[in-house]
Amino acid sequence: MESSTNNPARIAERALFYGWVPLFVLALWPYTVNPCEPPKLLFAAVLVLGCSVLAFFGPSARRGAGLGLLLALWLGWQTLCGLGSELPENSLWSLTAPTAWVLTALAARRAFADPDRAWRLAAVVVAALAAASLYGFAQLAGLDPFPWSSTATTEYRGLPSTFGHPNFAGHALVPGIILALALATRPRLRLPALAAALVMATHLWFTGMRGGPVALAAAMVLFGAWLAAGWLRGAGPGRVPLALLLTVLVGLAATGTALSAYRATHNTWLPVSDSSLVLRYNSAQGAARMVLDRPVMGVGPGNYEPLNAAWWTPFEQRWYALRGLRNDHVHCEFLEAGAEGGLPGLFLHFLLFSWALLAGLHLAGCGTTPALRQLGLAVALCAFAMGIDGLFGFNLHVPVSSGLFFVLLGMLDGVIGGLLPSHPVRRPIPAFAGMALGMVLAVAVLAGAIGHFRADRAALRDQSMLGQWSSSPTGGAERYSMQNALLQQLLLDCREFPADRRLAEFRGRVCLGAGHFGAAADAFSDALAKYPANPDTLADLAKALHGQAAGRAGMGDWPGAAFLLQRAESAAERGRELCPPLAAPHDALWRIADLRAEMARDLGNDDKPQDQRVLDEAHAALQAGVTDVVPVYRALARIALRGERRDEAAELIGHALDRAPDAPETWRLVEALSASAQDGSLLLDAVSRAYATLKRDHAEAPAFL
C-alpha cells in the first residue's frame, strides 16, 4: 500500500501550500476598492480548487480527531441560517470566504500528516509574515511603491503592510510570533526564528493594536500553566484540565487586578476617553441585543453589516450622524457569530477554538516525540491567543488571520490522523461523494472569488468616475457627456454585479443629481433591497420620490403626487428612526412637508396644518445640522410672510442672503417683503451685504438685481 504522505498527489498539495502561503500573505492589488481582500481570496480559491482536484488521486485522508464533522456543522449551520434570513443572496455571497477556509483546512489535513512537514509549513508561514513586517518597515521609511489611496492617515502610520489595516496586521502577527518562538526550539532554526519573532513583535508594537499584546500575554499565561501542571501532575491525564484551570484562575486574577487598578486611578472600570473604544462597547451592546432578539438562527452570515443599524445605541447613532462612520463588524468574533448564527452559531464558533486548544494540548501531553509535543503546544497556544484576540476584534473576518487559523486546524488534525492506522487505498462510495462535494464547493468558491474581485474593481472605477463627475463644473457639454458615460457604465455594472449594492447607490446619486428622479428612486430601492438599514440611502430614496412627486404635482396629477409623497415620507421616517441625529432624513422630511403645503394651497385646502408641519420639520432639520440651509430659511420666510410676521420673515431672508446672495428665489422674497412692508429698512443691512458680496465676486450684478 502506498504511503498517503509520499503519494505524488499529496506531495503536489504540499507544494501548492508552500507556494501559496507567501502569495496569500503578500498579495496586494491597486485596482480594487479593497487592495487586500479580493486578491487574497482569489489566491485562496485557486489553492482549494487545485487541492480539490488532487484529492481524487492517491489515498484519502486518515481518520482524525473529528475536525471534518465540526467544520461541516460550522459551515452547514451558517448556510442554513443564510437561506432562512431576510437577505439570503447576501448571505450566500458572503459565505465564499468561510467555504474557502473550510476547504483549506481539509486540504491541509490531507497534505500534512506528519510533524516534520507541518513544521516546514509553519516555517514558511513565519517567513511570509516576517517579509510582510519588513514591508511595513519600508512604509515607515517612506519606501512604499504601492499606490495607496492615502498615506497621511493614522492607519497608514500604523504600518498596515500587506494586510490593509494595522489591526488586521496585528491579528496575523499574533499567531506568527507564537509560531516563530516555537520554531526557535529547533536548533537549526533558532536564530532566524528569533529574528523573525523580533521583527514581527516590533511591527505589532508599531500597529498600536491593543488586543494583540493581551492575546500574547494570555498565551504566555497558558504556557506557564502548562509547565506548572506538568511539574505538578507529570504527563498524566489530569495535566490538560489542571493547566486550563490554572490559566482561568490566573486570567481572572489578572483581569480583576487590572480593572481595580484602572478604577482606582481613573474613577471608572473601563476606558471611556477613547471614542473608538466607546464605539466598540456600544457595538457589542447592540450585537448582544441582536442575539437576544434572534437567538435561534440570527440574522444570517454576512448580514450584520446591512442590518445592524436597527440595533444601534444612541452613541452609535450620534457617531454615524457626526462622522458618517459605522462598524461593519462587531469587535468581538463571538458576539458576531451569535448575531449572525444565533446561539447555535455562537456555540459552534466556540467549539472551533476549543477543539484546537484541547486537541493541541492533548497532542502536547501524549505525543511520542518532541516534534509532536511541541507542535501540539504551538497550535494550542496559537488557537488560545487567537480566541482571546477575537474577543476584541474580528480576526476570522480578515483574510490572512482567518486563513492561517484554518490551516493550523487542518494541519493539527492531519498530524493526529497520521498517528492512527491508515485505511486501504480503495475508497468507499461516501468518500468519493465527499470529494465530489468538495470539488463543487471549490468551483463555487472560485466563481465567488472572481465575482468579488471583479465587482470591487468595477466599484473602484465607478467611484473614480463619480468623483470626477461630482467635481466637474455644473452645466456644460463636458459634464453632460461625462454624466452619460457614467450612467451607461453603471447600468452595465449593475446588470453584471446585481448583488453589489454600492453600484446601485452610485447610479442613484448620479440620477438624483441629474434630475432623473424615477431612475434614482429605482436605483436606491435596489440598493436598499441589499442593504436595508442604511439611513442615508433611505433619505436619498425619499428625496428622489419627492422629486417625482413635484413633477407629478406640476402636471396636475395630485393623486399620483400624494402617493409618491407618502412613500417618500415612509422612507425618510424609517431613516430618522434608524438614526435620529442624522441630518439627511430631516432634510427630506421638511421638503416633503413643504410640497404638501404647496399642494394644499393649489387645491384650495386649509394649508395652516401643513404650514405648521413645515415649521416643525424645518426647525428639526436646522437643529440636525442640514448642509443646505438656504432653502429651509426661504420656506420659513414664506410661512412668516403668509402670517404677516414681517420682522421674522426679514430675519430669515437675511440669513438666506448671507449664505447665498446670488439665489434668484431669495431676491423674489426680498421683493415680496418690500411690497408688503411699510418700513423698507427691514432688510437694508442684509441687502447691502449681499450687494457688496456680489459686486466683489462678479464684474457686474446679476440681472435679477
Side-chain angles (χ1 to χ4, degrees):
M1 183 178 65
E2 191 176 23
S3 170
S4 64
T5 58
N6 292 324
N7 179 269
R10 302 293 87 85
I11 294 173
E13 280 188 294
R14 287 194 292 275
L16 278 177
F17 269 95
Y18 295 145
W20 170 74
V21 167
L23 292 173
F24 178 62
V25 172
L26 301 175
L28 286 173
W29 185 254
Y31 304 115
T32 49
V33 174
N34 183 335
C36 302
E37 183 172 345
K40 293 180 190 301
L41 185 58
L42 195 57
F43 276 120
V46 171
L47 171 78
V48 298
L49 183 61
C51 290
S52 296
V53 172
L54 292 170
F56 284 93
F57 302 95
S60 60
R62 297 180 182 181
R63 183 167 53 89
L67 176 65
L69 177 60
L70 177 57
L71 292 176
L73 289 172
W74 181 74
L75 185 60
W77 180 253
Q78 289 189 73
T79 304
L80 185 63
C81 292
L83 291 173
S85 71
E86 61 186 277
L87 298 172
E89 186 178 3
N90 182 67
S91 285
L92 295 178
W93 179 254
S94 70
L95 282 176
T96 301
T99 306
W101 309 143
V102 167
L103 294 176
T104 301
L106 296 176
R109 177 175 176 264
R110 284 192 305 270
F112 298 93
D114 68 84
D116 290 336
R117 293 186 175 96
W119 279 116
R120 290 192 195 107
L121 181 61
V124 174
V125 169
V126 168
L129 291 173
S133 292
L134 292 175
Y135 172 66
F137 297 148
Q139 290 177 326
L140 184 66
L143 303 175
D144 185 0
F146 190 81
W148 297 94
S149 60
S150 176
T151 58
T153 61
T154 303
E155 287 77 13
Y156 187 82
R157 290 193 292 273
L159 311 189
S161 183
T162 60
F163 308 95
H165 192 279
N167 285 350
F168 300 172
H171 291 321
L173 293 172
V174 165
I177 292 169
I178 294 172
L179 288 176
L181 293 175
L183 283 167
T185 61
R186 306 176 74 77
R188 288 187 300 175
L189 295 176
R190 181 165 295 133
L191 289 178
L194 288 175
L198 179 61
V199 167
M200 288 186 283
T202 306
H203 185 189
L204 180 63
W205 180 79
F206 271 110
T207 66
M209 182 190 184
R210 290 169 283 231
V214 173
L216 289 175
M220 290 177 61
V221 170
L222 176 60
F223 180 69
W226 179 254
L227 295 180
W231 180 72
L232 292 171
R233 298 282 302 186
R239 185 177 184 182
V240 173
L242 179 58
L244 294 176
L245 176 62
L246 291 174
T247 301
V248 170
L249 292 176
V250 173
L252 290 175
T255 302
T257 301
L259 290 175
S260 299
Y262 195 86
R263 174 74 172 81
T265 55
H266 295 81
N267 200 32
T268 181
W269 290 105
L270 294 171
V272 293
S273 58
D274 188 330
S275 57
S276 66
L277 283 178
V278 177
L279 179 63
R280 295 186 186 193
Y281 304 153
N282 281 270
S283 74
Q285 180 183 341
R289 288 192 288 114
M290 291 177 79
V291 177
L292 294 176
D293 288 348
R294 310 276 182 92
V296 180
M297 298 183 71
V299 298
N303 289 342
Y304 171 82
E305 180 185 354
L307 296 177
N308 76 89
W311 285 270
W312 274 349
T313 64
F315 182 88
E316 289 177 286
Q317 292 169 349
R318 291 193 300 272
W319 185 274
Y320 183 79
L322 294 175
R323 302 196 180 192
L325 300 175
R326 61 189 293 165
N327 277 330
D328 295 338
H329 298 284
V330 191
H331 280 77
C332 176
E333 279 287 0
F334 296 90
L335 274 177
E336 186 156 354
E340 294 188 342
L343 294 176
L346 172 59
F347 178 68
L348 289 170
H349 186 83
F350 177 75
L351 277 185
L352 279 180
F353 290 94
S354 300
W355 181 91
L357 175 62
L358 295 175
L361 290 179
H362 178 75
L363 184 62
C366 302
T368 56
T369 65
L372 282 170
R373 293 192 294 272
Q374 291 165 2
L375 181 68
L377 184 58
V379 175
L381 292 174
C382 285
F384 186 65
M386 294 184 78
I388 297 299
D389 187 27
L391 293 173
F392 310 105
F394 42 93
N395 51 356
L396 289 198
H397 285 82
V398 177
V400 175
S401 52
S402 53
L404 293 182
F405 175 72
F406 282 89
V407 166
L408 290 175
L409 290 183
M411 190 172 67
L412 177 62
D413 196 46
V415 170
I416 293 173
L419 302 176
L420 302 174
S422 60
H423 334 141
V425 174
R426 253 175 115 179
R427 304 185 184 89
I429 291 175
F432 278 104
M435 287 186 292
L437 176 61
M439 174 66 73
V440 170
L441 291 177
V443 171
V445 165
L446 181 61
I450 292 173
H452 277 284
F453 185 89
R454 295 181 64 239
D456 220 44
R457 186 179 62 180
L460 179 65
R461 178 190 59 224
D462 295 343
Q463 189 179 57
S464 176
M465 293 176 67
L466 179 62
Q468 293 174 8
W469 174 78
S470 300
S471 60
S472 63
T474 304
E478 184 179 353
R479 179 180 173 86
Y480 184 74
S481 174
M482 193 182 300
Q483 174 182 298
N484 284 343
L486 177 54
L487 283 174
Q488 192 172 29
Q489 184 64 57
L490 284 168
L491 281 170
L492 292 173
D493 290 339
C494 286
R495 290 195 195 102
E496 191 169 3
F497 309 107
D500 197 310
R501 54 99 185 171
R502 297 172 297 182
L503 304 175
E505 286 184 359
F506 294 162
R507 179 169 167 255
R509 287 182 212 163
V510 177
C511 291
L512 188 63
H516 305 323
F517 298 115
D522 291 341
F524 289 131
S525 297
D526 184 29
L528 286 167
K530 306 175 183 73
Y531 204 102
N534 191 325
D536 271 313
T537 308
L538 285 162
D540 286 336
L541 173 60
K543 291 175 183 176
L545 291 169
H546 167 270
Q548 274 189 289
R552 292 287 183 88
M555 294 185 295
D557 182 4
W558 311 114
F563 173 72
L564 289 167
L565 284 179
Q566 183 61 42
R567 286 183 58 198
E569 185 175 30
S570 176
E573 287 286 6
R574 175 59 177 159
R576 182 161 64 178
E577 177 188 343
L578 289 173
C579 190
L582 185 65
H586 292 282
D587 190 31
L589 283 166
W590 84 260
R591 294 175 188 272
I592 294 166
D594 190 44
L595 182 55
R596 276 213 176 102
E598 183 180 339
M599 287 169 57
R601 284 191 298 276
D602 290 342
L603 291 170
N605 299 329
D606 182 11
D607 63 351
K608 289 185 178 178
Q610 296 295 341
D611 278 349
Q612 185 58 48
R613 181 69 184 273
V614 176
L615 286 171
D616 295 340
E617 296 294 355
H619 284 116
L622 291 173
Q623 187 174 5
V626 294
T627 305
D628 191 7
V629 295
V630 175
V632 186
Y633 286 133
R634 285 201 295 259
L636 292 173
R638 284 194 295 269
I639 295 173
L641 281 173
R642 286 196 292 271
E644 297 187 353
R645 299 188 302 276
R646 296 182 180 86
D647 289 344
E648 180 183 343
E651 182 180 0
L652 292 165
I653 295 170
H655 289 322
L657 280 174
D658 287 339
R659 285 162 177 79
D662 58 349
E665 297 90 344
T666 308
W667 287 100
R668 283 194 284 271
L669 287 175
V670 172
E671 293 176 1
L673 178 62
S674 301
S676 64
Q678 296 177 351
D679 184 1
S681 64
L682 287 175
L683 276 172
L684 182 59
D685 290 341
V687 168
S688 298
R689 289 194 301 272
Y691 187 76
T693 302
L694 290 170
K695 289 293 287 183
R696 184 190 65 215
D697 295 340
H698 302 275
E700 58 182 43
F704 57 77
L705 286 180

